[in-house]
Amino acid sequence: MTGSAGADDWPYLYRVGFAASRLVVARGSQITAKSAYVWSSRPAYSDASGAARIYLSAALGDGLVTIGEQERIFHVNDWPRAVQESSRDHT
């Protein structure tokens, strides 16, 4: 499926071929093309024909576009354990 880019007040991607009347992109989703990435600036919903305009935080170059490929996940080392006393006497 192909899409096109444009701008009115914000840069956007336009694409036809999504399922009709569905959330396509949540606000803040990462969108990549080649090695460049941006975020969606607002939620995008497809219309009854499956077309959607996805507004971006910045313009994105040409190439294969991936939505939500990477998440910001981090690993915590040496997290302190929560200490809670336990007692069998609950009276």
Side-chain angles (χ1 to χ4, degrees):
M1 293 184 254
T2 60
S4 59
D8 43 25
D9 291 338
W10 292 92
Y12 65 83
L13 298 174
Y14 178 79
R15 184 173 167 269
V16 177
F18 292 111
S21 304
R22 300 285 171 95
L23 175 66
V24 174
V25 176
R27 183 178 187 269
S29 294
Q30 184 173 346
I31 300 171
T32 59
K34 295 184 182 175
S35 61
Y37 61 92
V38 297
W39 288 269
S40 58
S41 59
R42 60 183 95 162
Y45 294 89
S46 59
D47 62 16
S49 66
R53 185 176 283 193
I54 302 167
Y55 285 92
L56 310 172
S57 60
L60 192 61
D62 294 340
L64 178 65
V65 173
T66 305
I67 299 171
E69 177 183 20
Q70 299 175 0
E71 296 291 328
R72 294 188 172 262
I73 299 174
F74 59 93
H75 182 77
V76 176
N77 291 320
D78 299 324
W79 191 271
R81 291 184 53 193
V83 177
Q84 180 179 4
E85 287 186 36
S86 65
S87 171
R88 294 186 186 259
D89 183 14
H90 297 286
T91 58

